């Protein structure tokens, strides 16, 4: 018999109980190239199941990691193949001119690795991560390396916490989520600082 899932995880019990590892891999995979899906939620639920002995925690971790990396790479291909043309065609309507887009590409080429790694933990950025990297022309090998690092940290953190915390995972998750705005602010300030430094260097060179 499957262990009861706490709070907002409960609605995933039929899916996990029926499809097990397949559900974990499929939901995380499709979420990571932009399709709305509860990827992080199902990872937490699978971790709770693993802690109760219903699933193997190592298998959950490996499947979630592979699905996360594969999904983001699909997003990268989408951005790489069609994103640039889309931005050049429609970007002017949101003040993203070709010149500004070129500056964004240069910035992402330098600091994109940090963004790709951190984005895994931020709702919204996690789903668009690969598409943005592909659109801005980030080298695939560089993207793959930082994306794999972010996926390993993300899967390792939530799988381990859910496995150990069990029925208390929603309280743990809520507690951590309270600090997400501060993390976003810190990331935003870091990005702004890098951009300002980049602009100052360009002006000095001129």
């Amino acid at each position: 018999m499957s262990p009861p899932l706490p709070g907002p995880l409960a609605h995933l019990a039929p899916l996990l109980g029926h499809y097990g590892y397949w559900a974990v891999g499929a939901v995380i995979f499709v979420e990571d190239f932009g399709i709305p899906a509860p990827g992080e939620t199902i990872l937490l639920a699978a971790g709770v199941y693993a802690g109760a002995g219903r699933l193997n925690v190592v298998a959950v971790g490996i499947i979630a990691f592979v699905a996360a990396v594969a999904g983001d790479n699909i997003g990268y291909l989408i951005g790489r193949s069609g994103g640039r043309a889309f931005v050049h065609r429609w970007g002017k309507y949101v003040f993203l001119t070709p010149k500004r887009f070129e500056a964004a590409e240069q910035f992402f080429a330098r600091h994109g690795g940090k963004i790709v790694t951190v984005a895994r933990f931020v709702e919204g950025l996690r789903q668009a991560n690969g598409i943005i990297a592909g659109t801005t022309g980030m080298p695939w090998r560089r993207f793959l390396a930082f994306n794999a690092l972010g996926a390993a940290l993300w899967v390792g953190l939530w799988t381990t916490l859910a496995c150990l915390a069990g029925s208390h995972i929603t309280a743990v998750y809520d507690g951590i989520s309270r600090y997400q705005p501060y993390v976003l602010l810190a990331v935003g300030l870091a990005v702004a600082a890098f951009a300002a430094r980049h602009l100052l260097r360009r002006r000095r060179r001129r």
Side-chain angles (χ1 to χ4, degrees), residues 22-177:
W22 288 102
V24 176
V27 173
I28 291 175
F29 175 72
V30 299
E31 183 200 40
D32 280 5
F33 60 87
I35 296 176
E40 194 163 80
T41 308
I42 202 166
L43 180 61
L44 293 171
V48 173
Y49 269 36
R54 174 70 177 179
L55 297 173
N56 182 284
V57 68
V58 175
V60 168
I62 292 173
I63 290 168
F65 172 78
V66 171
V69 173
D72 272 338
N73 274 272
I74 296 294
Y76 179 89
L77 288 174
I78 292 171
R80 191 80 178 200
S81 60
R84 177 187 286 270
F86 181 85
V87 169
H88 279 293
R89 183 174 181 182
W90 303 103
K92 61 184 178 181
Y93 295 108
V94 290
F95 307 105
L96 185 60
T97 62
K99 187 176 181 180
R100 289 179 179 176
F101 183 68
E102 183 182 351
E105 283 184 313
Q106 293 174 359
F107 177 77
F108 205 90
R110 285 190 176 186
H111 310 295
K114 305 178 189 71
I115 298 170
V116 167
T117 302
V118 173
R120 170 63 54 183
F121 293 89
V122 181
E123 190 68 30
L125 283 180
R126 182 170 63 253
Q127 292 83 352
N129 180 20
I131 296 174
I132 293 172
T135 301
T136 54
M138 184 179 189
W140 177 73
R141 289 184 180 179
R142 179 176 168 81
F143 169 75
L144 180 64
F146 283 103
N147 179 246
L149 173 61
L153 294 173
W154 179 72
V155 170
L157 172 68
W158 290 124
T159 304
T160 302
L161 280 178
C163 186
L164 295 175
S167 61
H168 302 292
I169 187 58
T170 51
V172 174
Y173 183 72
D174 289 343
I176 293 175
S177 295

